[in-house]
Amino acid sequence: MISVSLNEVYSETYKALRSVNIEWSLAKDCANKSKWLAKHGQYFLGSILKTADLYKNNKISISINKNTNKKPLATALLGLLLVEYVSANKITWKGYIDNSKFLLAAMGIIAEEQQINLTLENEQKEIIAFTKEKKLYVNSNLDTKVTIYSSLKTYNNIEEKNTKFTSLKKNKEVTNLNDKCWERLKSMAFETYVPESETSKSGAGY
């Protein structure tokens, strides 16, 4: 394991995703969600590497309106955009999502910034997670890694029933990561780095 700061998580994730030609705004959003997950003690690194591979092989969707079980929505890339879309329009969005932990991170970010109440449910109408009073609460009994058909919406009142929900708390400024996965991410990030030279200096305003 290796200790990494949250700022390193953000910058290396951003650069790694740019190395596979992911649009800068989507790479930035993913880096923000990765930083949020790391800050809340949630594992994310393997999922980032998988997302990059799926994107390169055109096996995930980057369209909010077009997704299938075989080609689900990449929440690692579009989670924040989806949450903002649902929040702004007060609609219910339904579709297949890949690895919902990034959508949970997006919900958590929006809840903290705008105090918007959101709920994410699966096809059986079980609550996967919801936000309330700037906090995110996650159903401890459901797997957030698999591809699922789900619905995301805002709410005024919510019935928690007898399900156990866990609040994800901010508890880390440094996170411990698998060193081999981290090195792979850094090697991808390095591909976007231009070594300093007379050419790069002239193009950088020196």
Side-chain angles (χ1 to χ4, degrees):
M1 302 295 283
I2 184 171
S3 295
V4 178
S5 72
L6 297 183
N7 286 336
E8 286 180 287
V9 167
Y10 176 89
S11 62
E12 296 303 307
T13 298
Y14 173 78
K15 289 185 289 185
L17 294 177
R18 290 291 294 139
S19 75
V20 293
N21 297 318
I22 290 173
E23 185 181 328
W24 71 268
S25 60
L26 301 184
K28 179 181 177 181
D29 282 357
C30 184
N32 275 321
K33 292 191 288 284
S34 297
K35 183 177 179 180
W36 190 93
L37 288 167
K39 189 171 187 176
H40 290 78
Q42 303 298 304
Y43 186 70
F44 67 94
L45 187 51
S47 299
I48 292 294
L49 296 173
K50 181 181 178 183
T51 294
D53 289 339
L54 291 173
Y55 180 85
K56 286 191 295 184
N57 293 303
N58 196 30
K59 291 185 177 180
I60 48 176
S61 172
I62 55 170
S63 170
I64 288 177
N65 297 316
K66 296 179 181 179
N67 55 82
T68 64
N69 187 32
K70 291 184 178 181
K71 194 173 181 179
L73 181 71
T75 61
L77 304 178
L78 282 97
L80 276 171
L81 184 64
L82 176 58
V83 166
E84 290 170 349
Y85 174 69
V86 169
S87 301
N89 294 287
K90 299 293 189 295
I91 62 169
T92 297
W93 178 90
K94 295 183 179 181
Y96 288 96
I97 59 175
D98 172 65
N99 209 323
S100 60
K101 71 172 67 176
F102 290 98
L103 186 51
L104 302 187
M107 291 169 65
I109 291 171
I110 293 298
E112 290 171 6
E113 293 179 352
Q114 302 180 30
Q115 202 167 341
I116 294 174
N117 292 335
L118 294 158
T119 179
L120 179 67
E121 299 179 1
N122 61 20
E123 195 168 9
Q124 290 73 41
K125 298 190 181 301
E126 297 173 301
I127 297 175
I128 300 170
F130 67 93
T131 60
K132 184 178 181 181
E133 297 175 351
K134 294 190 176 185
K135 291 184 179 180
L136 175 72
Y137 296 87
V138 179
N139 189 329
S140 305
N141 298 321
L142 297 179
D143 187 354
T144 60
K145 298 178 183 178
V146 297
T147 296
I148 55 172
Y149 186 81
S150 61
S151 62
L152 178 69
K153 60 184 178 181
T154 59
Y155 74 89
N156 293 319
N157 297 295
I158 191 169
E159 185 179 351
E160 299 177 31
K161 299 182 180 180
N162 296 320
T163 305
K164 180 181 179 182
F165 289 92
T166 303
S167 172
L168 299 186
K169 300 177 180 178
K170 300 177 186 178
N171 58 4
K172 292 180 180 292
E173 293 301 324
V174 174
T175 186
N176 293 320
L177 301 174
N178 179 286
D179 51 353
K180 291 183 179 179
C181 289
W182 180 247
E183 286 305 314
R184 182 185 168 197
L185 188 81
K186 284 178 67 69
S187 68
M188 291 171 61
F190 184 76
E191 294 177 20
T192 67
Y193 171 74
V194 180
E196 186 177 289
S197 63
E198 291 305 317
T199 302
S200 64
K201 283 183 178 181
S202 65
Y206 279 78

